[in-house]
C-alpha cells in the first residue's frame, strides 16, 4: 500500500511528535512513524523522553524525594512518621502510569491535529522518485508493511545509551537508563559509571531509597559543563547526602558474577581499586540512532559520531530531508529537540523558524536542583569578556527558610559595560522553575538592572533572582 504526504516524520520523541503537530497546524498532510513498543506490543509515543527518560526519571525522583522527606525531614516540621515502608513495585507502577498518560496524550494530540501515525521501523527505500512525483519513499516495517511518500522528511530518531566496551547491557545487572528505571527492588550496593546529568539523577533516586551509591567518573572535574562555583556547591551537597563520587577514574575490567558485578578501576593517583556491587548503571553518553534508517541508500551524510550532519537550520545533505533532536549535533535535551522540530516545520512552510542556542536552559533534577542558562564564568574569562557577578544565597531567602531548603544560590553574570545578562546559574530549591525567568530575560536581552527593577512576589524563591541581580550592582537589600 502506498500513501502520499507533504511531510513524513521519522520518530515520535519530543523532536518528532512536536514537528509533526506543528507541520499539521501549518496545513500540511503529515505522517509520523515510530517503532517504540510497549509491553503489550502496542505503540508508545514520546520516544526516549516519555518512555525511559525525562518523564519516568522525574516520576521516580519525586517518589524517592517524598520517601526521603518522610523519613528524614518531616520530624523538623513536628510530623512524626512511624512504620514508614517502601513498596518499590508500587512506585515503579506509578511511574509506568505517568508514562502511559503521556503516551496516550501524544496519541490524542496526533488525532486532534490529524497526524497519521504508523507503528513500525521507517527506512529510506530509495532516492527521490523521478519527477513529477519527486518524493522520497519511506518503507515502514511493522504490523503492516507500508510505503509512504513525501517530498519533505524530518528525521527525529533520537539516541540510545552507549555501552561500556566489553560490558554490554543485560538490563538485569548492567543497566542502561531503561533497566535503571525498571528495577523492582532497591539494590544494596549500586555503582554508576559516569557522573553526567542522567547518572546523577539516577544515583539520587536509588540513594534516597537506601542504596549505597558509588559514582566513578573519568573526568578529573565534577560536572565540567556547570559553572565551577555551582559545581563545587553541588559536589559538597551530594557528598554530604552520602553519594561517593570518585573523579579521574579509569575503569578496567567489569566482570559479571552470579549475583554481583565487580569493577576494576584505578583512582586519580593511578592506584588499583576494585568495587563489588549488586547492580551497575552505565551512563557514559548516548549514541545517535541512525542504524536501520538505510540512510546510505540515499546518501545521508553522518559525522564521526554517527550523528546526521545538519546545517544551522537542520538541513541534511539531502534536499528536503531535515534532522532534529538527539540524532544531530548540540545538547541532547528534549526541549532543544522540540524547538528544532517547530523551527523545521515552520521552515518547510516557508516561515522563519528560529532556535536560539544561547538561551537553551539546562536542568539537573537532583536535590538541590541545578539549572543554568547562558555562559559560565570560565567561558566568559576564556572569551576575554568583561563581566560583573552578583550572587544571592537561599539561606537569606524567606521562602527557602520556610520550605526548610536553604542550600545553594542564584548567581548572575552581566556584561561589565552594557549590563546585559550573559548567564544565570542556580543551585537550590525549584531551580528548574526559577531558570525560566532568566531565559525570558536573556531572550529579550535584558540587563541585570531590568531584573532588579521588576517586582517579585514575596515571599518567593524568585526573590533570590532579583537579589542576585541587585548584587551585580553591589546593592542587595536582604544580605
Ligand atoms: C534517563 C534520562 C533522563 C532524561 N531527562 C531529561 C530531562 O529531564 N530533560 C531533558 O530535556 N532531556 C532529558 N533527557 C534527554 C531526552 O530524553 C532527549 O534529549 C530527547 O528524548 C530527545 O528527543 P528526540 O525526539 O530527539 O529523540 P527520542 O526521544 O530518542 O525519540 C526518538 C524516537 O524515534 C524512534 N525511532 C528511532 N529510529 C526509528 C526508525 N528507524 N523508525 C521508526 N522510529 C524510530 C525511537 O523509537 C524513539 O521513539 C533524558 C534522557 C534520559 C535517558
Amino acid at each position: 500500500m502506498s500513501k502520499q504526504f507533504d511531510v513524513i516524520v521519522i520518530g515520535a520523541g519530543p523532536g518528532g511528535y512536536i514537528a509533526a503537530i506543528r507541520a499539521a497546524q501549518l496545513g500540511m498532510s503529515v505522517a509520523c512513524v515510530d517503532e517504540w513498543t510497549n509491553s503489550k506490543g502496542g505503540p508508545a509515543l514520546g520516544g526516549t523522553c516519555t518512555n525511559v527518560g525525562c518523564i519516568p526519571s522525574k516520576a521516580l525522583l519525586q517518589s524517592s524525594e517524598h520517601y526521603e522527606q518522610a523519613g528524614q525531614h518531616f520530624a523538623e516540621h513536628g510530623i512524626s512518621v512511624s512504620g514508614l515502608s517502601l513498596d518499590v513495585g508500587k512506585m515503579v507502577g506509578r511511574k509506568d502510569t505517568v508514562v502511559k498518560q503521556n503516551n496516550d496524550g501524544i496519541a490524542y494530540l496526533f488525532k486532534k491535529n490529524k497526524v497519521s501515525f504508523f507503528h513500525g521501523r521507517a527506512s529510506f527505500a530509495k532516492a527521490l522518485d523521478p519527477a513529477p512525483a519527486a518524493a522520497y519513499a519511506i518503507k515502514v516495517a511493522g504490523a503492516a508493511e507500508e510505503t509512504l511518500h513525501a517530498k519533505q522528511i524530518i528525521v527525529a530518531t533520537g539516541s540510545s545509551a552507549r555501552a561500556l566496551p566489553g560490558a554490554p547491557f543485560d538490563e538485569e545487572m548492567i543497566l542502561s537508563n531503561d533497566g535503571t528505571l525498571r528495577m523492582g527492588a532497591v539494590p544494596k550496593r549500586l555503582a554508576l559509571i559516569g557522573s553526567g546529568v542522567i547518572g546523577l539523577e539516577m544515583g539520587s533516586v536509588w540513594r534516597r531509597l537506601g542504596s549505597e551509591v558509588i559514582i566513578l567518573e573519568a573526568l578529573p572535574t565534577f560536572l565540567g559543563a556547570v559553572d565551577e562555583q555551582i559545581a563545587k556547591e553541588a559536589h559538597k551537597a551530594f557528598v554530604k547526602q552520602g553519594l561517593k563520587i570518585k573523579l579521574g577514574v579509569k575503569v578496567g575490567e567489569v566482570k559479571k558474577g552470579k549475583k554481583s558485578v565487580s569493577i576494576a578501576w584505578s583512582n586519580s593517583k593511578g592506584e588499583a581499586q576494585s568495587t563489588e556491587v549488586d547492580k551497575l548503571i552505565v551512563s557514559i553518553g548516548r549514541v545517535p540512532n541512525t542504524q536501520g534508517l538505510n540512510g546510505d541508500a540515499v546518501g545521508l551524510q553522518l559525522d564521526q559520531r554517527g550523528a546526521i550532519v545538519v546545517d544551522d537550520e537542520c538541513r541534511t545533505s539531502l534536499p528536503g530531508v531535515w534532522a532534529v533532536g538527539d540524532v544531530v549535533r548540540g545538547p541532547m535535551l528534549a526541549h532543544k529537540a522540540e524547538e528544532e522540530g517547530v523551527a523545521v516545520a515552520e521552515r518547510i512552510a516557508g516561515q522563519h523558524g528560529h532556535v536560539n542556542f544561547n538561551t537553551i536552559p539546562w536542568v539537573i533534577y537532583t536535590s538541590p536542583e541545578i539549572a543554568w542558562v547562558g555562559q559560565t564564568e570560565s567561558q566568559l574569562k576564556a572569551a576575554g569578556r568583561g563581566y560583573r557577578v552578583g550572587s544571592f544565597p537561599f539561606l537569606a531567602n524567606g521562602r527557602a527558610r520556610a520550605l526548610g531548603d536553604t542550600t545553594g544560590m542564584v548567581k548572575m553574570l552581566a556584561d561589565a559595560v552594557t549590563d546585559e545578562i550573559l548567564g544565570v546559574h542556580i543551585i537550590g530549591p525549584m531551580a528548574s522553575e526559577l531558570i525560566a525567568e532568566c531565559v525570558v530575560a536573556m531572550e529579550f536581552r535584558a540587563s541585570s538592572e531590568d531584573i532588579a527593577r521588576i517586582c517579585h512576589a514575596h515571599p518567593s524563591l524568585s526573590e533570590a533572582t532579583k537579589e542576585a541581580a541587585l548584587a551585580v550592582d553591589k546593592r542587595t537589600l536582604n544580605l
Side-chain angles (χ1 to χ4, degrees), residues 10-16 33-36 46-49 52-54 57-58 120-122 156-159 177 198 286 289 293 324-326 332-335 337 365:
I10 306 177
V33 189
D34 189 280
E35 65 178 342
W36 206 292
T48 302
C49 167
V52 293
C54 323
S57 60
K58 268 78 245 179
R121 167 164 290 204
T157 46
S159 64
N177 53 301
I198 296 172
R286 297 185 60 83
N289 289 333
L293 261 180
V324 302
D326 280 14
M332 287 188 171
L333 293 170
H335 42 282
Y365 293 83

Side-chain angles (χ1 to χ4, degrees), residues 19-43:
I21 290 173
R22 186 69 189 119
Q25 283 176 344
L26 291 164
M28 293 174 250
S29 63
V30 183
C32 180
V33 189
D34 189 280
E35 65 178 342
W36 206 292
T37 302
N38 63 25
S39 56
K40 292 183 180 138

Side-chain angles (χ1 to χ4, degrees), residues 201-445:
E201 290 185 4
M202 293 300 93
S204 296
V205 166
W206 296 103
R207 183 210 47 83
R208 288 172 191 166
L209 299 180
S211 296
E212 287 163 21
V213 180
I214 180 164
I215 300 182
L216 305 174
E217 168 59 56
L219 293 173
T221 45
F222 182 62
L223 287 176
V226 175
D227 184 87
E228 220 171 299
Q229 192 184 358
I230 301 288
K232 269 192 195 144
E233 280 279 315
H235 188 265
K236 217 165 51 188
F238 297 146
V239 169
K240 198 168 154 202
Q241 289 166 6
L243 285 180
K244 283 191 195 134
I245 303 170
K246 307 289 173 191
L247 301 172
V249 162
K250 214 167 161 207
V251 172
E253 195 182 9
V254 172
K255 257 205 220 145
K256 221 166 62 167
K258 273 202 175 134
K259 291 197 168 158
S260 63
V261 183
S262 75
I263 307 145
W265 55 282
S266 57
N267 65 17
S268 54
K269 293 181 194 142
E271 295 158 345
Q273 311 280 324
S274 152
T275 298
E276 182 116 357
V277 288
D278 306 305
K279 306 266 184 195
L280 168 64
I281 299 174
V282 177
S283 179
I284 53 170
R286 297 185 60 83
V287 192
N289 289 333
T290 47
Q291 284 170 340
L293 261 180
N294 199 26
D296 285 351
V298 283
L300 187 65
Q301 205 186 329
L302 307 184
D303 67 13
Q304 283 169 333
R305 284 188 320 123
I308 297 175
V309 175
V310 287
D311 67 8
D312 287 349
E313 302 202 317
C314 295
R315 281 186 187 82
T316 70
S317 52
L318 299 170
V321 179
W322 311 73
V324 302
D326 280 14
V327 78
V328 303
R329 57 33 195 157
M332 287 188 171
L333 293 170
H335 42 282
K336 174 264 192 184
E338 291 181 9
E339 291 305 308
E340 286 182 334
V342 168
V344 164
E346 292 178 350
R347 284 173 198 136
I348 292 173
Q351 299 183 359
H352 297 280
H354 170 73
V355 182
N356 184 356
F357 273 76
N358 288 328
T359 55
I360 293 177
W362 292 75
V363 179
I364 309 178
Y365 293 83
T366 42
S367 177
E369 288 186 349
I370 302 164
W372 72 99
V373 58
Q375 309 208 51
T376 62
E377 270 202 81
S378 19
Q379 283 169 335
L380 292 175
K381 275 182 195 147
R385 183 106 183 231
Y387 63 92
R388 294 194 295 167
V389 189
S391 58
F392 189 81
F394 284 108
L395 200 60
N397 174 273
R399 183 75 196 278
R401 287 193 198 119
L403 287 172
D405 193 354
T406 52
T407 318
M409 68 178 95
V410 178
K411 171 174 173 179
M412 191 173 284
L413 305 168
D415 187 275
V417 179
T418 64
D419 193 34
E420 179 178 347
I421 301 171
L422 303 173
V424 184
H425 306 271
I426 307 176
I427 177 167
M430 302 309 280
S432 56
E433 299 296 331
L434 294 173
I435 202 67
E437 174 185 7
C438 310
V439 174
V440 173
M442 284 187 62
E443 195 63 54
F444 283 86
R445 303 194 63 179

